[in-house]
Amino acid sequence: MEHLKPNAANNAPLTPLGFIERAATVYGDSASIIYNQTGFTWAETYRQCVKLASSLNELGIGRRDVVSVLAPNVPALYELHFAVPMAGAVLNTINTRLDARTVSVLLRHCEAKLVFVDCLLKQLAVEALALFPDNHQKPELVLVTDEYESEEANSLGGLFSERYEDLVGRGDAGFAWLMPETESDPIVLNYSSGTTSAPKGVVHSHRGTFIGTVDSLIDWSVPKQPVYLWTLPMFHANGWTHTWGMAAVGGVNVCVRKFDAAAIYHLIEKHDVTHMSGAPVVLNMVSSFTDARPLKRRVNVMTAGAPPPAAVLLRTESLGFVVSHGYGLTETAGHVVTCAWKPEWNQLPASERARLKARQGVRTLGVTKLDVVNPATFASVVRDGATTGEIVLRGGSLMLGYFKDEDATAKAIQNSWLFTGDVGVMHADGYLEIKDRSKDVIISGGENISSVEVESVLYTHQAVSEAAVVARPDGFWGETPCAFLILKTGLAKRPSEKEVMEYCRERMPHYMVPKTVAFMEELPKTSTGKVKKFVLREMARKIGKSKQSRL
């Protein structure tokens, strides 16, 4: 069979864009998006995306141009996941919780040509562009409006050149949208942690997102036409690929701008929700709600981030939620490791089931290889559940690399492995468990916080001599930043814990602000002067327990 080779018929590029075209054919009259009192069908959503891609093309947006979005989980953000790459461009969804300075840095780094801005985030975008250097080309802004817009937001203002609705309205429904030239063409650019000082833009290909999306659907056993409640921000790694995944299975996207526990229960009952996702903080939210009641039908929940506490898992599942635990990075597109459940585990006590479910698990079907290795030798660690090493991955859904950062890409991808920076152990049964994060990333409510960045701000305080930041376990957020400080001698006035927090709040996104500040005479250090963060983490854990005991 040596003469048989790939041909023009079987060598078409893999892309998730075909999912929505198929959905319009198979599920055309079925609901695609529900948002407040508004609803769309898959035929209508596909038509909207094609028309928007047409208008982007008319504006001069083309292949490999970056189009950014600042928006919560509204229909426009969902549609842009298809419309932007349909125009050949690269989608960049920005975390709406960032401050103007950080947003400005990201927009300049990614060289965005166009930015779609939700009406309630208009001021953030305007402030971000105001921080551009005078000689730097500013992107055009497109205003996305809905019933929440105020009279002020209704005005386009000098920087807003278009409205989302107008772009869709004048688009060509017969536009021949662009397939990628190769399946390695970029489709999205997502920023990982470290954005305020050294942006790390993760680039994913059409092929990678196709593989990651299908892999996630299979691993989570998502059926056709589920009802998916968007409690997970779409700007977080494109909603863990569920943006494209819901089109693949003709699901219903229940979009919600903001939510709390009461809203979640209300929407679940109103729309017969079957699936939702979120960080462990969402599990804590629904399980600790004072008016929580057992669900009428089970709801499948995918969670990831900091491992969910066993007690939270028990409470959540007792209400009728079926929790699946996954692990992934911005660099992996979606989940690449999940705690695949074994039937025999159902016979174990509830506490043991929760402990097993809190482990990260095994590689998903779309991942070629998962291992825990000695980063110096690349040798696999002993599978004893105790010997630690760095978690490494290999597979088709992994990133192409970091945008404009060859050094960081080369450091992350070595010996055909993606080095995650996470430290874990491999159990005898082949299941992975994370033990620590070598990059000192704190995961709070699903947000990645670089401890180094928080420390850099603390060091600018005139009273601070030394600073070290670690994760403190938190019953609600999973983890929160805990700052250990040494103050300068001879101060006329020592700052209080509250004053330090206020100082940080003025200089960084609020979710990054330390929730705990401890003053010390000296920091524990090694003989070479390196701070022993493992000692501080243990101190932070004790602080967490003492605080929780007083609540």
Side-chain angles (χ1 to χ4, degrees):
M1 297 187 182
E2 291 79 4
H3 67 286
L4 296 178
K5 297 179 180 180
N7 56 64
N10 68 19
N11 202 31
L14 294 176
T15 175
L17 299 183
F19 296 160
I20 193 170
E21 182 182 45
R22 182 178 183 275
T25 300
V26 180
Y27 309 106
D29 295 329
S30 300
S32 58
I33 297 175
I34 296 174
Y35 176 62
N36 296 332
Q37 307 307 313
T38 304
F40 300 96
T41 66
W42 277 111
E44 291 171 335
T45 297
Y46 175 63
R47 180 183 174 86
Q48 290 248 123
C49 292
V50 172
K51 294 176 70 176
L52 181 55
S54 167
S55 289
L56 290 174
N57 187 257
E58 287 296 318
L59 289 176
I61 300 298
R63 293 194 185 277
R64 296 180 181 268
D65 288 337
V66 175
V67 175
S68 298
V69 189
L70 264 173
N73 288 352
V74 294
L77 179 53
Y78 185 83
E79 293 167 355
L80 285 164
H81 273 81
F82 292 93
V84 170
M86 280 176 161
V90 179
L91 178 68
N92 165 233
T93 55
I94 296 177
N95 189 331
T96 60
R97 298 162 185 164
L98 298 176
D99 59 358
R101 181 175 64 86
T102 307
V103 172
S104 181
V105 170
L106 299 191
L107 291 177
R108 278 177 275 157
H109 185 266
C110 74
E111 303 173 24
K113 287 197 170 183
L114 196 66
V115 185
F116 287 86
V117 182
D118 179 79
C119 57
L120 297 188
L121 295 170
K122 177 182 176 182
Q123 189 61 36
L124 174 61
V126 171
E127 291 177 4
L129 263 61
L131 295 173
F132 272 50
D134 292 337
N135 61 347
H136 200 289
Q137 181 68 38
K138 295 179 180 178
E140 292 188 31
L141 301 183
V142 177
L143 189 65
V144 179
T145 60
D146 66 12
E147 69 270 26
Y148 286 96
E149 65 174 317
S150 63
E151 288 300 318
E152 181 182 359
N154 193 45
S155 173
L156 284 180
L159 291 175
F160 288 82
S161 60
E162 296 277 1
R163 292 182 189 275
Y164 184 88
E165 295 77 7
D166 294 339
L167 285 179
V168 174
R170 69 170 185 260
D172 178 10
F175 175 64
W177 53 270
L178 305 181
M179 285 283 286
E181 293 177 321
T182 74
E183 60 185 25
S184 296
D185 284 0
I187 184 173
V188 292
L189 167 61
N190 298 323
Y191 283 93
S192 63
S193 60
T195 53
T196 61
S197 55
K200 292 178 69 175
V202 177
V203 181
H204 282 285
S205 68
H206 283 256
R207 176 177 183 267
T209 52
F210 178 97
I211 294 172
T213 301
V214 174
D215 187 29
S216 178
L217 294 172
I218 293 173
D219 190 81
W220 200 14
S221 300
V222 179
K224 294 178 180 177
Q225 296 189 281
V227 180
Y228 187 88
L229 175 59
W230 276 101
T231 47
L232 170 72
M234 293 184 202
F235 59 67
H236 268 318
N238 310 107
W240 299 344
T241 74
H242 298 151
T243 44
W244 301 294
M246 287 305 106
V249 292
V252 181
N253 294 278
V254 181
C255 293
V256 55
R257 175 178 287 275
K258 59 187 298 185
F259 61 86
D260 54 19
I264 290 175
Y265 280 103
H266 170 71
L267 291 169
I268 286 174
E269 188 170 325
K270 180 178 181 180
H271 300 296
D272 290 327
V273 169
T274 62
H275 292 72
M276 56 185 277
S277 302
V281 66
V282 176
L283 302 186
N284 195 45
M285 183 185 295
V286 298
S287 65
S288 61
F289 182 47
T290 53
D291 293 332
R293 54 196 180 277
L295 302 172
K296 294 180 179 178
R297 60 180 294 178
R298 75 176 194 174
V299 175
N300 298 281
V301 183
M302 176 62 74
T303 190
V312 174
L313 279 173
L314 287 172
R315 290 202 312 265
T316 306
E317 296 206 319
S318 69
L319 293 167
F321 294 93
V322 181
V323 181
S324 298
H325 181 213
Y327 164 75
L329 313 164
T330 305
E331 289 85 347
T332 67
H335 296 124
V336 287
V337 178
T338 57
C339 190
W341 197 250
K342 297 182 179 183
E344 57 266 31
W345 290 348
N346 291 322
Q347 309 305 316
L348 298 172
S351 58
E352 180 64 10
R353 293 200 306 270
R355 186 190 68 80
L356 289 171
K357 186 165 283 190
R359 297 190 302 175
Q360 280 62 42
V362 296
R363 66 178 177 85
T364 56
L365 292 174
V367 176
T368 307
K369 189 74 174 175
L370 160 71
D371 203 357
V372 177
V373 305
N374 181 322
T377 65
F378 302 131
S380 301
V381 301
V382 179
R383 296 191 172 197
D384 57 3
T387 305
T388 60
E390 186 163 351
I391 300 168
V392 292
L393 296 159
R394 188 179 295 160
S397 67
L398 306 184
M399 68 171 183
L400 291 173
Y402 294 115
F403 184 54
K404 296 192 295 188
D405 198 336
E406 293 182 2
D407 290 341
T409 300
K411 184 178 179 180
I413 301 175
Q414 301 181 53
N415 200 36
S416 299
W417 288 109
L418 171 67
F419 280 74
T420 65
D422 288 333
V423 176
V425 298
M426 194 68 80
H427 288 272
D429 62 358
Y431 277 61
L432 167 73
E433 183 177 0
I434 292 178
K435 288 297 183 181
D436 207 344
R437 297 179 181 87
S438 63
K439 295 178 182 177
D440 292 324
V441 173
I442 301 165
I443 302 180
S444 182
E447 299 285 358
N448 284 1
I449 302 171
S450 169
S451 61
V452 175
E453 291 184 15
V454 181
E455 289 165 359
S456 67
V457 172
L458 288 167
Y459 270 109
T460 65
H461 193 293
Q462 61 180 4
V464 173
S465 174
E466 293 186 58
V469 176
V470 298
R472 179 178 72 80
D474 185 275
F476 187 80
W477 295 108
E479 296 175 344
T480 56
C482 177
F484 292 90
L485 304 179
I486 297 178
L487 298 180
K488 295 176 181 177
T489 57
L491 293 174
K493 181 179 180 299
R494 292 169 61 89
S496 66
E497 179 180 350
K498 183 179 178 181
E499 288 171 339
V500 171
M501 292 179 184
E502 288 296 328
Y503 178 86
C504 292
R505 191 169 285 111
E506 295 173 359
R507 291 163 175 80
M508 65 177 72
H510 289 185
Y511 70 85
M512 294 177 64
V513 175
K515 302 298 185 293
T516 310
V517 176
F519 299 104
M520 304 180 68
E521 292 300 320
E522 63 180 9
L523 296 175
K525 296 178 181 179
T526 66
S527 58
T528 58
K530 186 175 182 180
V531 175
K532 295 180 179 179
K533 284 202 168 182
F534 67 92
V535 174
L536 295 181
R537 289 190 189 98
E538 185 57 35
M539 294 173 63
R541 289 189 186 96
K542 292 179 180 179
I543 292 173
K545 289 180 180 179
S546 64
K547 282 180 174 289
Q548 290 173 3
S549 66
R550 294 196 298 269
L551 294 178

